Amino acid sequence: MYTITDKKVLSPIDYFVEVEASHVARAWKPGQFVVLMAHEKGERIPMSVYRADDGKIGMFIRKLGKTSLQIFNEFNVGDSLWSVAGPLGTPIEVKKYGTVVFASDAVCGHAENYATLRQMKEAGNHTISIQSFKDEEDVYPEQFLAKSVADEHYITTSDGSVGIKGNYLDVIRDLIEQDKVDIIFAGGVLGTLAKLAELTRPYGIPTMTTVRQIMVDGTGMCGSCRILYDGQIKFACRDGPMFDAHKVDWEDVLKRETRFLEQEKLAKEMYLKKINESHGKEVV
Ligand SMILES: Cc1cc2nc3c(=O)[nH]c(=O)nc-3n(C[C@H](O)[C@H](O)[C@H](O)COP(=O)(O)OP(=O)(O)OC[C@H]3O[C@@H](n4cnc5c(N)ncnc54)[C@H](O)[C@@H]3O)c2cc1C
Ligand code: FES
């Protein structure tokens, strides 16, 4: 069983969960992800890995819809998740590049930011982390930021309440002007990743981004996560999820992201109605 060994609130919308999963912790490499199932009949949800140590994996989860809310509301330390499958996907290449930047502006990206730079630093790179949040309330506690694995660490907030006002694109523009970047990795909001691809393209700076797609099996069998990449069909779960941003057809990726919004909204409403009725109060 996949026993929860730690759980903490990171911000009003994100939380941290650590689970015993020795088979994943042993084999996981940066760039790879897992697929969780809370219950035997629950849906399969892909998650990035923040840490994989001592037979346990840590994840950052955003309270978005039915399953992420269910794990937050109904699973505590000592409880077990039904399944943690993985590691899945193709690892990124960890080697000496020079100066490696990781930029993130959402939950999965923040996990990947720490996980990737930790190993890039060990490989002898100069590491720069940029983490973007909406405002002060959204900024994670210091122990969960990528500060400890970064030689330089920047926080941006949309309202300027912490760090630099703006988002990671503003910091990357400055780093490019200072000629400080050998390779950029990034994860988070797909729209920002599409903009990052356009920002770095004219400079020819290698740019690797996590292309999140709706995944079902996570092993290349169902076709749900297909993307157009360099004129070919690729599966984000098997061939990625990290891809060269300059070869991704972002228009297609952004269109596919919202395929199931109606169904997701309905599942969330039904779950909240059920849980609020059973608790006799508003839970979320
Ligand atoms: C490779 C990868 C890594 C991810 N890493 C993280 C992470 O570290 N932390 C995190 O909070 N989220 C991560 N996600 C997104 C996460 O899988 C969804 O937030 C989760 O499935 C939401 O489920 P839900 O029932 O709570 O919400 P729903 O209401 O079902 O969905 C909310 C939104 O989540 C996304 N989503 C839903 N189902 C899936 C699915 N089967 N596959 C992919 N995306 C889906 C869609 O954008 C959807 O609009 C990752 C997704 C991928 C593909
Ligand atoms: S999730 Fe089924 S092919 Fe990728």
Side-chain angles (χ1 to χ4, degrees):
M1 293 303 276
Y2 302 97
T3 307
I4 296 177
T5 50
D6 199 0
K7 182 180 165 193
K8 288 193 172 66
V9 169
L10 297 172
S11 74
I13 44 171
D14 296 343
Y15 60 100
F16 162 76
V17 168
E18 183 190 71
V19 184
E20 278 176 358
S22 55
H23 67 292
V24 180
R26 246 192 329 268
W28 173 89
K29 294 193 174 75
Q32 292 185 298
F33 63 99
V34 295
V35 171
L36 306 182
M37 279 175 76
H39 296 285
E40 188 179 1
K41 291 184 180 160
E43 71 171 332
R44 297 162 60 81
I45 62 165
M47 282 292 145
S48 305
V49 173
Y50 154 68
R51 288 187 74 120
D53 295 305
D54 305 327
K56 298 173 200 156
I57 58 161
M59 293 159 288
F60 296 163
I61 305 182
R62 179 153 294 182
K63 293 182 265 175
L64 265 187
K66 183 181 168 190
T67 306
S68 50
L69 286 167
Q70 202 167 42
I71 296 173
F72 183 75
N73 289 325
E74 299 174 28
F75 289 77
N76 291 307
V77 172
D79 296 334
S80 296
L81 298 179
W82 173 259
S83 146
V84 179
L88 300 166
T90 303
I92 54 167
E93 199 178 353
V94 176
K95 64 173 187 181
K96 189 149 184 194
Y97 293 95
T99 296
V100 176
V101 175
F102 202 114
S104 53
D105 62 352
V107 60
C108 45
H110 295 317
E112 293 159 8
N113 196 324
Y114 177 93
T116 306
L117 290 190
R118 186 181 179 193
Q119 298 213 0
M120 289 294 182
K121 194 172 163 69
E122 277 172 22
N125 292 288
H126 180 77
T127 53
I128 302 180
S129 167
I130 314 165
Q131 297 191 268
S132 298
F133 299 91
K134 186 162 66 63
D135 53 28
E136 188 173 7
E137 219 186 14
D138 271 5
V139 177
Y140 292 179
E142 185 153 332
Q143 70 185 104
F144 291 104
L145 294 172
K147 212 168 176 176
S148 63
V149 292
D151 295 304
E152 294 176 48
H153 184 249
Y154 300 90
I155 290 182
T156 75
T157 46
S158 314
D159 64 357
S161 50
V162 181
I164 297 162
K165 186 169 190 231
N167 68 17
Y168 68 67
L169 297 173
D170 301 310
V171 181
I172 287 178
R173 244 178 241 116
D174 282 351
L175 293 174
I176 292 174
E177 269 176 31
Q178 295 167 43
D179 207 11
K180 275 182 81 169
V181 183
D182 289 306
I183 186 165
I184 298 174
F185 293 85
V189 177
L190 292 173
T192 329
L193 296 176
K195 287 184 189 154
L196 174 66
E198 292 323 306
L199 172 64
T200 59
R201 195 189 300 275
Y203 300 94
I205 297 170
T207 305
M208 300 293 293
T209 53
T210 305
V211 183
R212 271 182 305 99
Q213 286 290 283
I214 303 280
M215 294 183 181
V216 182
D217 62 300
T219 60
M221 304 287 283
C222 71
S224 169
C225 68
R226 71 135 184 86
I227 64 162
L228 283 173
Y229 180 79
D230 208 15
Q232 292 181 324
I233 288 182
K234 296 276 177 193
F235 296 120
C237 68
R238 187 193 63 194
D239 305 314
M242 274 248 166
F243 290 94
D244 178 343
H246 299 149
K247 295 182 181 168
V248 173
D249 182 334
W250 287 103
E251 205 183 314
D252 180 61
V253 163
L254 293 171
K255 231 187 288 159
R256 287 174 65 79
E257 193 190 12
T258 50
R259 276 181 297 157
F260 300 111
L261 275 188
E262 273 307 307
Q263 292 91 328
E264 288 157 4
K265 192 166 159 255
L266 191 64
K268 181 176 177 179
E269 282 168 6
M270 283 167 64
Y271 170 70
L272 286 178
K273 187 164 180 275
K274 191 172 127 205
I275 193 164
N276 286 333
E277 276 170 6
S278 69
H279 284 243
K281 64 179 172 66
E282 288 248 326
V283 172
V284 182

Short mmCIF file of all heavy atoms in Angstrom, two decimals, residues 241-268:
data_model
loop_
_atom_site.label_atom_id
_atom_site.label_comp_id
_atom_site.label_asym_id
_atom_site.label_seq_id
_atom_site.Cartn_x
_atom_site.Cartn_y
_atom_site.Cartn_z
N PRO A 241 7.19 13.82 -20.67
CA PRO A 241 6.45 15.04 -21.03
C PRO A 241 7.33 16.26 -21.34
O PRO A 241 6.81 17.29 -21.75
CB PRO A 241 5.58 15.31 -19.79
CG PRO A 241 6.30 14.68 -18.66
CD PRO A 241 7.02 13.48 -19.23
N MET A 242 8.67 16.16 -21.17
CA MET A 242 9.52 17.31 -21.51
C MET A 242 9.90 17.24 -22.97
O MET A 242 10.41 16.22 -23.44
CB MET A 242 10.79 17.28 -20.66
CG MET A 242 10.67 17.92 -19.32
SD MET A 242 11.66 19.43 -19.27
CE MET A 242 11.02 20.19 -17.78
N PHE A 243 9.64 18.35 -23.68
CA PHE A 243 9.96 18.41 -25.10
C PHE A 243 10.69 19.72 -25.43
O PHE A 243 10.52 20.73 -24.73
CB PHE A 243 8.67 18.40 -25.93
CG PHE A 243 7.94 17.09 -25.91
CD1 PHE A 243 6.91 16.88 -24.99
CD2 PHE A 243 8.23 16.09 -26.82
CE1 PHE A 243 6.21 15.68 -24.98
CE2 PHE A 243 7.53 14.88 -26.82
CZ PHE A 243 6.52 14.68 -25.90
N ASP A 244 11.41 19.69 -26.54
CA ASP A 244 12.01 20.90 -27.08
C ASP A 244 10.88 21.86 -27.46
O ASP A 244 10.10 21.58 -28.38
CB ASP A 244 12.85 20.52 -28.32
CG ASP A 244 13.48 21.71 -28.99
OD1 ASP A 244 13.05 22.85 -28.73
OD2 ASP A 244 14.40 21.49 -29.81
N ALA A 245 10.80 22.99 -26.73
CA ALA A 245 9.66 23.91 -26.89
C ALA A 245 9.58 24.48 -28.31
O ALA A 245 8.50 24.86 -28.77
CB ALA A 245 9.78 25.04 -25.89
N HIS A 246 10.70 24.54 -29.00
CA HIS A 246 10.70 25.16 -30.33
C HIS A 246 10.10 24.24 -31.39
O HIS A 246 9.87 24.66 -32.52
CB HIS A 246 12.14 25.56 -30.72
CG HIS A 246 12.73 26.56 -29.77
ND1 HIS A 246 14.06 26.63 -29.49
CD2 HIS A 246 12.14 27.52 -29.00
CE1 HIS A 246 14.28 27.59 -28.61
NE2 HIS A 246 13.13 28.13 -28.29
N LYS A 247 9.88 22.98 -31.04
CA LYS A 247 9.32 22.03 -32.02
C LYS A 247 7.87 21.67 -31.72
O LYS A 247 7.26 20.89 -32.44
CB LYS A 247 10.17 20.75 -32.04
CG LYS A 247 11.59 20.99 -32.54
CD LYS A 247 12.35 19.70 -32.59
CE LYS A 247 13.78 19.94 -33.08
NZ LYS A 247 14.63 18.79 -32.87
N VAL A 248 7.34 22.21 -30.61
CA VAL A 248 5.97 21.86 -30.21
C VAL A 248 4.97 22.75 -30.96
O VAL A 248 5.20 23.96 -31.09
CB VAL A 248 5.80 22.07 -28.68
CG1 VAL A 248 4.35 21.89 -28.26
CG2 VAL A 248 6.71 21.12 -27.91
N ASP A 249 3.86 22.16 -31.43
CA ASP A 249 2.78 22.94 -32.02
C ASP A 249 1.89 23.43 -30.87
O ASP A 249 0.97 22.74 -30.43
CB ASP A 249 1.98 22.07 -33.01
CG ASP A 249 0.87 22.85 -33.70
OD1 ASP A 249 0.38 23.84 -33.12
OD2 ASP A 249 0.49 22.46 -34.82
N TRP A 250 2.19 24.63 -30.37
CA TRP A 250 1.53 25.14 -29.15
C TRP A 250 0.05 25.43 -29.37
O TRP A 250 -0.76 25.29 -28.45
CB TRP A 250 2.27 26.37 -28.62
CG TRP A 250 3.58 25.99 -27.99
CD1 TRP A 250 4.82 26.13 -28.54
CD2 TRP A 250 3.77 25.34 -26.72
NE1 TRP A 250 5.78 25.62 -27.68
CE2 TRP A 250 5.16 25.14 -26.55
CE3 TRP A 250 2.91 24.92 -25.71
CZ2 TRP A 250 5.71 24.54 -25.42
CZ3 TRP A 250 3.44 24.32 -24.58
CH2 TRP A 250 4.81 24.13 -24.45
N GLU A 251 -0.31 25.84 -30.58
CA GLU A 251 -1.72 26.15 -30.84
C GLU A 251 -2.57 24.90 -30.62
O GLU A 251 -3.61 24.92 -29.97
CB GLU A 251 -1.84 26.64 -32.28
CG GLU A 251 -3.05 27.54 -32.49
CD GLU A 251 -3.16 27.94 -33.95
OE1 GLU A 251 -2.14 28.33 -34.54
OE2 GLU A 251 -4.29 27.81 -34.48
N ASP A 252 -2.08 23.79 -31.13
CA ASP A 252 -2.78 22.51 -30.98
C ASP A 252 -2.82 22.09 -29.50
O ASP A 252 -3.86 21.67 -28.98
CB ASP A 252 -2.05 21.45 -31.83
CG ASP A 252 -2.70 20.09 -31.74
OD1 ASP A 252 -3.87 19.97 -32.11
OD2 ASP A 252 -2.01 19.15 -31.25
N VAL A 253 -1.69 22.23 -28.81
CA VAL A 253 -1.60 21.84 -27.40
C VAL A 253 -2.61 22.64 -26.57
O VAL A 253 -3.34 22.08 -25.74
CB VAL A 253 -0.16 22.09 -26.87
CG1 VAL A 253 -0.12 22.11 -25.35
CG2 VAL A 253 0.79 21.02 -27.39
N LEU A 254 -2.68 23.95 -26.81
CA LEU A 254 -3.57 24.81 -26.00
C LEU A 254 -5.03 24.48 -26.27
O LEU A 254 -5.86 24.51 -25.37
CB LEU A 254 -3.28 26.29 -26.29
CG LEU A 254 -1.89 26.76 -25.81
CD1 LEU A 254 -1.58 28.16 -26.30
CD2 LEU A 254 -1.81 26.71 -24.28
N LYS A 255 -5.33 24.12 -27.52
CA LYS A 255 -6.71 23.77 -27.88
C LYS A 255 -7.15 22.50 -27.15
O LYS A 255 -8.23 22.39 -26.64
CB LYS A 255 -6.78 23.54 -29.39
CG LYS A 255 -7.90 24.33 -30.07
CD LYS A 255 -8.05 23.95 -31.51
CE LYS A 255 -6.90 24.46 -32.37
NZ LYS A 255 -6.74 23.74 -33.62
N ARG A 256 -6.25 21.53 -27.06
CA ARG A 256 -6.61 20.23 -26.48
C ARG A 256 -6.74 20.26 -24.96
O ARG A 256 -7.37 19.39 -24.37
CB ARG A 256 -5.54 19.18 -26.87
CG ARG A 256 -5.64 18.79 -28.34
CD ARG A 256 -4.50 17.87 -28.73
NE ARG A 256 -4.54 16.58 -28.04
CZ ARG A 256 -5.32 15.57 -28.37
NH1 ARG A 256 -6.14 15.68 -29.40
NH2 ARG A 256 -5.28 14.44 -27.69
N GLU A 257 -6.18 21.30 -24.32
CA GLU A 257 -6.18 21.36 -22.85
C GLU A 257 -7.59 21.43 -22.27
O GLU A 257 -7.84 20.95 -21.17
CB GLU A 257 -5.36 22.58 -22.38
CG GLU A 257 -5.04 22.55 -20.91
CD GLU A 257 -4.46 23.85 -20.39
OE1 GLU A 257 -4.48 24.87 -21.11
OE2 GLU A 257 -3.98 23.84 -19.24
N THR A 258 -8.49 22.04 -23.00
CA THR A 258 -9.82 22.33 -22.42
C THR A 258 -10.90 21.35 -22.92
O THR A 258 -12.09 21.63 -22.81
CB THR A 258 -10.24 23.77 -22.80
OG1 THR A 258 -10.07 23.93 -24.21
CG2 THR A 258 -9.38 24.81 -22.09
N ARG A 259 -10.49 20.19 -23.42
CA ARG A 259 -11.43 19.24 -24.01
C ARG A 259 -12.53 18.78 -23.06
O ARG A 259 -13.65 18.51 -23.46
CB ARG A 259 -10.67 17.98 -24.48
CG ARG A 259 -10.06 18.10 -25.83
CD ARG A 259 -9.36 16.82 -26.20
NE ARG A 259 -8.26 16.51 -25.31
CZ ARG A 259 -7.77 15.29 -25.11
NH1 ARG A 259 -8.31 14.25 -25.71
NH2 ARG A 259 -6.74 15.09 -24.30
N PHE A 260 -12.21 18.62 -21.77
CA PHE A 260 -13.16 17.99 -20.85
C PHE A 260 -13.65 18.93 -19.76
O PHE A 260 -14.07 18.48 -18.69
CB PHE A 260 -12.52 16.73 -20.22
CG PHE A 260 -12.11 15.71 -21.23
CD1 PHE A 260 -10.78 15.45 -21.47
CD2 PHE A 260 -13.06 15.02 -21.98
CE1 PHE A 260 -10.38 14.50 -22.41
CE2 PHE A 260 -12.69 14.09 -22.94
CZ PHE A 260 -11.34 13.83 -23.16
N LEU A 261 -13.59 20.24 -20.02
CA LEU A 261 -13.93 21.21 -18.97
C LEU A 261 -15.32 21.00 -18.38
O LEU A 261 -15.52 21.05 -17.16
CB LEU A 261 -13.81 22.64 -19.51
CG LEU A 261 -12.41 23.25 -19.47
CD1 LEU A 261 -12.46 24.72 -19.84
CD2 LEU A 261 -11.75 23.08 -18.09
N GLU A 262 -16.32 20.75 -19.26
CA GLU A 262 -17.71 20.56 -18.79
C GLU A 262 -17.82 19.39 -17.83
O GLU A 262 -18.40 19.48 -16.75
CB GLU A 262 -18.64 20.32 -20.01
CG GLU A 262 -19.16 21.59 -20.64
CD GLU A 262 -19.82 22.52 -19.63
OE1 GLU A 262 -20.71 22.07 -18.91
OE2 GLU A 262 -19.42 23.71 -19.56
N GLN A 263 -17.23 18.24 -18.25
CA GLN A 263 -17.29 17.03 -17.42
C GLN A 263 -16.55 17.24 -16.10
O GLN A 263 -17.00 16.80 -15.04
CB GLN A 263 -16.67 15.83 -18.15
CG GLN A 263 -17.44 15.35 -19.37
CD GLN A 263 -16.96 16.04 -20.64
OE1 GLN A 263 -16.53 17.19 -20.63
NE2 GLN A 263 -17.07 15.34 -21.75
N GLU A 264 -15.39 17.93 -16.15
CA GLU A 264 -14.61 18.16 -14.93
C GLU A 264 -15.38 19.05 -13.96
O GLU A 264 -15.39 18.82 -12.74
CB GLU A 264 -13.26 18.82 -15.29
CG GLU A 264 -12.30 17.88 -15.98
CD GLU A 264 -11.25 18.57 -16.83
OE1 GLU A 264 -11.19 19.82 -16.84
OE2 GLU A 264 -10.50 17.86 -17.52
N LYS A 265 -16.07 20.06 -14.52
CA LYS A 265 -16.85 20.99 -13.68
C LYS A 265 -17.97 20.23 -12.98
O LYS A 265 -18.20 20.37 -11.78
CB LYS A 265 -17.42 22.09 -14.60
CG LYS A 265 -17.99 23.26 -13.87
CD LYS A 265 -18.20 24.43 -14.84
CE LYS A 265 -19.21 25.38 -14.25
NZ LYS A 265 -20.52 25.33 -14.83
N LEU A 266 -18.64 19.37 -13.73
CA LEU A 266 -19.76 18.59 -13.19
C LEU A 266 -19.28 17.64 -12.09
O LEU A 266 -19.88 17.55 -11.01
CB LEU A 266 -20.40 17.78 -14.34
CG LEU A 266 -21.73 17.12 -14.04
CD1 LEU A 266 -22.78 18.19 -13.76
CD2 LEU A 266 -22.17 16.27 -15.23
N ALA A 267 -18.13 16.94 -12.34
CA ALA A 267 -17.60 16.00 -11.34
C ALA A 267 -17.23 16.75 -10.06
O ALA A 267 -17.49 16.28 -8.95
CB ALA A 267 -16.37 15.29 -11.91
N LYS A 268 -16.67 17.95 -10.19
CA LYS A 268 -16.27 18.73 -9.02
C LYS A 268 -17.52 19.18 -8.24
O LYS A 268 -17.58 19.05 -7.01
CB LYS A 268 -15.47 19.96 -9.48
CG LYS A 268 -14.99 20.83 -8.33
CD LYS A 268 -14.14 21.96 -8.88
CE LYS A 268 -13.70 22.90 -7.77
NZ LYS A 268 -12.86 23.98 -8.27
#
